[in-house]
Amino acid sequence: MLRPRVLCLALASLLAATASAQEIPAPRDVPYPGTIKLEVDATNLTQRIFRVKQTIPVQAGALTLLYPMWVPGGHSPKNSLDKIAGITFKANGQKLEWRRDPLNVAAFHIDVPAGVASITAEFDFLTPTTGAQGRVVMTPNMLNLQFLAAALYPAGYYTHQIMFDAHVTYPAGWTAFTALHEDSRNGDTVDYKDVPFDILVDSPIYAGRYAKNIDLTPAGSKVPVRLGVVADAAKFLETKPEQVKVHKAMVEQALKLFGAQHYDHYQFLFSLSGQMGGNGLEHQRSSENGVGTDYFTGWNEKVGFTDLLAHEYTHSWNGKYRRGKDLWTPNFNVPMQGSLLWVYEGQTQYWGNVLAARSGMRPLPASIDAMAVLAATYAENRPGLTSWRDVQDTTNDPVIASRAPRAYRNYQSSEDYYQAGQLIWLEADALIRARTGGKKSLDDFARAFFGVNNGEWEIQNTYVFDDVVATLNGVYPYDWVTFLRSRLEGKTALTGGIEASGWKLVFKDKPSAFAKANTRWGGADFVYSLGLSVAKDGSIGDVRWDSPAFNVGIGSGATVVAVNGQAYDNDLLEDAVKVAKDSKAPIELLLKEFDRYRTVKIDYHGGPRYPHLERIEGKPDYLTPILTPRK
């Protein structure tokens, strides 16, 4: 408890800070006078530094410049303010004093002298040099420039009213991909056409030494769609015709689904790297996508490709053009709210997986196996959602945790509006198909809700909960309010769509090829048997709450050193689980926790358990038609 004197001092400090804080102008929907020139030098690859210079038209008096904090698509204030350094402001060559706002540390206050028509702002963006500092975005062979992290903008204006003229200098000989259009080029410096700040932020850049732009434009379409790939080495750019074919089919299936395009061209930004950090971030006319080097060269035809590209492409319709009203903000420093993320991300998760299947990027058997993994997760491995929180509450997770690792992910839950949302929309689709005899489906909702105003992209078409319900009722009249709320608020199980689609979840003693290929870190999955996942080196990941492993005191972060007296490896523990099924003896694990060792005995005899889906005899199959390509 604070003593009265200490409390008074604390209050005095807060009042003093409040008094010293300069008022930050609220955003207004009026044009900013003049165009801001932004110059980014992206050539310092060895030290991984972006050098930034801005020339900003101004008027004499108080000026507040903001560093963007709320990340579109990240749904949280997690931008890289801590990575900018060396900030200086000048007018007519003379240095200007600046003050950081004590209550809004992303705001910089400057007093502009009389007679000054423009000022320059310069700073260094010190990108992470190791993964421990954040996502690596500069390597010897590629870079990812996000203008959100490399620009200041004036307070007091909507971002769509602030014009920017961006210039970027690249390493010699590199190729750059972006949704921006070039205005001119001088050597390795590109001058992009002027755009409002919101569009500039929505138009990041991938550039690389080894690069390839693959045309995915559907036959007969006048709107280009391209896959811009940068890689650690030229050999990773090699593609087979059948690989390109399924990626092109994904674009074709998306256009058949939505029936409209909300871009003047679309540029996938795609990195194949073991050095630059992986990611997936949506934009209106592009998307940032990062995976490992073997995406093409290590292709497993039975398992197929990840749904990443299909997911981020879907966001051009769902999330960028159409966006929940409480997620739209006039600038990047006004807080966002995510109450409708189960539409924004949940239905995108649904369509991303559907498009991956319909295009052949992921074969039908693997797509069904992926659904089995999802069903098992919400049938048995999300105890937090059946005990203390619901899916709707997880829409606050981007602000609560910003995707920081969690000790007990299954119990704490984290952004479950993605995959739980996917299951909710599967059930809605199955319901519509069943009630209309297959004449209507969630495809009709997608076209009616997202496929409006073909060609429009420079504005955001917002919606509220009632708009979602009204469009669903336009497809098939039903009590959609209760349907959605009961599942979002934890009153109805999330896995009903599996059975409604004519399938059931079962567990077998061997994992599917899809599940095995997607086990992380070369480890093994004992989630539905012992209740834990183990990496190749024996380190324990998530431990399922109230599982056999949890109930004998095993926690995440420990390391399995030995199984029944033998040095740990994945196969050894798998064999022990099999043997225990016909034995009364417990499974004995030697654990290392920090500098201590202890032995635990797990009295489990249920054998290996891996999720699969099986058809329900005599019930219509709606899942297969959902995943089948549209003609």
Side-chain angles (χ1 to χ4, degrees), residues 42-251:
T43 61
N44 190 345
L45 301 175
T46 56
Q47 295 173 310
R48 307 183 199 176
I49 299 170
F50 290 122
R51 302 296 304 272
V52 180
K53 180 180 179 181
Q54 294 180 245
T55 304
I56 306 170
V58 294
Q59 298 175 346
L63 172 68
T64 299
L65 295 174
L66 300 174
Y67 183 77
M69 288 304 296
W70 283 80
V71 179
H75 321 306
S76 64
K78 63 178 184 179
N79 203 19
S80 305
L81 180 62
D82 61 314
K83 294 176 178 60
I84 67 169
I87 301 174
T88 59
F89 300 100
K90 293 181 180 179
N92 298 328
Q94 300 298 309
K95 197 171 182 179
L96 299 176
E97 298 296 322
W98 60 271
R99 304 176 304 281
R100 190 190 298 269
D101 193 280
L103 299 181
N104 185 340
V105 294
F108 302 88
H109 300 299
I110 305 157
D111 293 319
V112 179
V116 171
S118 67
I119 66 170
T120 60
E122 296 184 66
F123 62 88
D124 297 318
F125 180 57
L126 310 178
T127 76
T129 55
T130 71
Q133 300 163 8
R135 177 174 167 259
V136 173
V137 297
M138 294 184 85
T139 79
N141 295 314
M142 67 180 67
L143 63 84
N144 176 198
L145 172 60
Q146 297 174 320
F147 290 106
L148 186 79
L152 302 172
Y153 71 99
Y157 300 85
Y158 282 23
T159 52
H160 75 84
Q161 295 278 21
I162 307 170
M163 294 300 295
F164 268 72
D165 175 20
H167 300 244
V168 181
T169 301
Y170 298 101
W174 280 31
T175 300
F177 302 121
T178 179
L180 296 172
H181 295 287
E182 286 191 18
D183 199 5
S184 63
R185 180 184 288 266
N186 182 11
D188 295 308
T189 299
V190 178
D191 176 9
Y192 292 101
K193 289 186 177 181
D194 298 1
V195 291
F197 190 48
D198 61 335
I199 292 178
L200 182 69
V201 164
D202 199 46
S203 307
I205 295 170
Y206 274 24
R209 189 184 311 275
Y210 308 107
K212 180 179 182 179
N213 211 10
I214 302 170
D215 186 17
L216 301 181
T217 309
S221 174
K222 296 181 180 179
V223 184
V225 178
R226 298 184 179 92
L227 178 65
V229 189
V230 294
D232 286 348
K235 64 182 179 180
F236 299 123
L237 296 174
E238 297 176 6
T239 58
K240 297 177 180 178
E242 56 267 35
Q243 293 174 326
V244 175
K245 181 180 179 181
V246 295
H247 284 76
K248 192 169 184 177
M250 183 269 290
V251 175

Side-chain angles (χ1 to χ4, degrees), residues 536-560:
K536 190 174 182 179
D537 64 357
S539 57
I540 296 174
D542 205 18
V543 178
R544 179 161 53 87
W545 203 262
D546 205 27
S547 66
F550 183 87
N551 290 336
V552 296
I554 298 177
S556 64
T559 299
V560 182

